[in-house]
Amino acid sequence: MTHPAFQAAHPDFLRLFPTGAAPECLGRGYQAGEGPTYVPARGAVIFSDVAGNRTWAYTDAGELKEEMHPSSYQNGHCIDADGRLIACSHGQRALLRQEADGRWTVLADRFEGQRLNSPNDVALHPDGSLWFSDPSYGLDKPEEGGTGAPMELPGRWVFRLAPDGTLTAPIRDRFKPNGLIFARPDLLLLADTGDSATYRYRVTPDGQATLDGEHFRVDPGKTDGLRLDEAGRIWSSAGDGVHVLSPGGQELGRILVGQKATNLCFGGPEGTTLFITTSTEFWRVPTVVQSLRL
């Protein structure tokens, strides 16, 4: 019998989960769960409680433990080409990298002499560059470290940090850029939580990006975090959980978790466990797919 949390809009949806699969809540009581990413070198998912000013680790052995407190209001994470943890820090208004000894290195905190707003989410391109969104939530929201400091930049942009350290701003036409993921080396999907849509951008080898149109919207809620599986299907956070869509943006089904999902990632020893952060909870869902690898 299919668990009621799985709501199929297309028969293919239920084939994404093993027989008897069910969502499982692993933790509760967070103030603003966000930014999960699986770090293979550690065998753990790292995620944020942004408003709680903490990060957490959930290990392959099933241990859930506090990672950092304070965390400088970290939000989104990814791993770089060398498997190191990358973090978006609201408190430091910076993109950070964690070194092998646990220390944090600032990778970018200014653009053309002006401080960044509050880096929010980050994705790795196959060429080794890191692309990150920079809305102003970390300035505007006191619960996320905001002090009311003004924006120094004239917009809320998406930045590209090249492997040689060069920082550019290839996307400047969004209102509140948020979650982002590469579907192909030449195609970026970018969620805008300002107008509740996710957009396609064509990306050139030299790091330029051009808007190619709206790709999809979720209902209820809006897309915040994004992941793609090995077949290019889109796994999007939404107001009632996670929506799964075809590569072209047609809904296949939903995983309902009883509240707004904020972000998600694939991980675990086999790479087939879906981890979900919500406003106050942390979930896992067994699947039979893995994250897309470009």
Side-chain angles (χ1 to χ4, degrees):
M1 182 177 177
T2 302
H3 193 279
F6 298 112
Q7 300 289 311
H10 189 283
D12 288 348
F13 174 71
L14 296 179
R15 300 182 186 130
L16 304 178
F17 309 95
T19 301
E24 178 185 3
C25 185
L26 300 173
R28 290 185 169 90
Y30 310 108
Q31 297 178 55
E34 254 289 4
T37 199
Y38 185 70
V39 184
R42 295 187 54 187
V45 175
I46 306 300
F47 67 97
S48 304
D49 178 359
V50 185
N53 200 16
R54 288 172 166 85
T55 59
W56 295 81
Y58 180 77
T59 70
D60 290 345
E63 182 183 9
L64 179 60
K65 56 185 179 181
E66 186 176 281
E67 178 83 355
M68 292 174 58
H69 180 224
S71 66
S72 293
Y73 299 95
Q74 286 187 12
N75 192 327
H77 299 92
C78 76
I79 55 173
D80 70 7
D82 295 317
R84 296 170 294 190
L85 184 63
I86 303 297
C88 294
S89 171
H90 284 190
Q92 293 183 242
R93 298 172 68 170
L95 187 71
L96 310 176
R97 180 181 68 217
Q98 190 172 36
E99 310 299 348
D101 61 3
R103 292 181 302 168
W104 291 93
T105 297
V106 174
L107 300 179
D109 62 358
R110 282 173 168 78
F111 180 68
E112 296 180 347
Q114 296 175 306
R115 294 190 71 185
L116 301 178
N117 299 321
S118 55
N120 187 282
D121 209 348
V122 56
L124 174 68
H125 187 276
D127 67 4
S129 60
L130 294 165
W131 293 59
F132 63 96
S133 55
D134 188 41
S136 56
Y137 292 122
L139 299 180
D140 305 335
K141 295 184 175 183
E143 70 272 20
E144 295 187 11
T147 62
M151 290 173 53
E152 296 185 16
L153 294 168
R156 300 167 178 87
W157 300 336
V158 173
F159 290 94
R160 175 185 184 264
L161 182 67
D164 66 1
T166 301
L167 187 64
T168 56
I171 298 177
R172 307 187 185 199
D173 58 355
R174 295 267 56 86
F175 182 46
K176 293 181 179 179
N178 205 304
L180 66 173
I181 193 76
F182 286 95
R184 301 192 305 264
D186 65 345
L187 180 61
L188 174 72
L189 299 182
L190 172 63
D192 189 329
T193 42
D195 65 6
S196 305
T198 296
Y199 295 89
R200 298 183 306 273
Y201 282 83
R202 300 293 173 179
V203 176
T204 61
D206 63 351
Q208 302 298 311
T210 303
L211 178 64
D212 189 44
E214 181 179 315
H215 199 57
F216 71 90
R217 292 174 182 257
V218 296
D219 183 26
K222 60 186 72 174
T223 296
D224 188 336
L226 287 163
R227 290 293 187 272
L228 274 70
D229 68 23
E230 55 202 339
R233 287 176 290 252
I234 302 163
W235 299 63
S236 169
S237 64
D240 54 359
V242 171
H243 293 191
V244 182
L245 305 99
S246 71
Q250 290 73 46
E251 184 179 328
L252 302 177
R254 305 181 178 191
I255 307 169
L256 305 180
V257 294
Q259 60 177 275
K260 177 181 73 175
T262 56
N263 217 319
L264 60 153
C265 74
F266 288 97
E270 306 301 322
T272 56
T273 302
L274 180 70
F275 294 95
I276 305 168
T277 52
T278 74
S279 300
T280 65
E281 298 172 346
F282 178 60
W283 290 75
R284 71 176 172 190
V285 182
T287 79
V288 298
V289 299
Q290 294 181 326
S291 183
L292 177 67
R293 297 180 183 179
L294 296 180

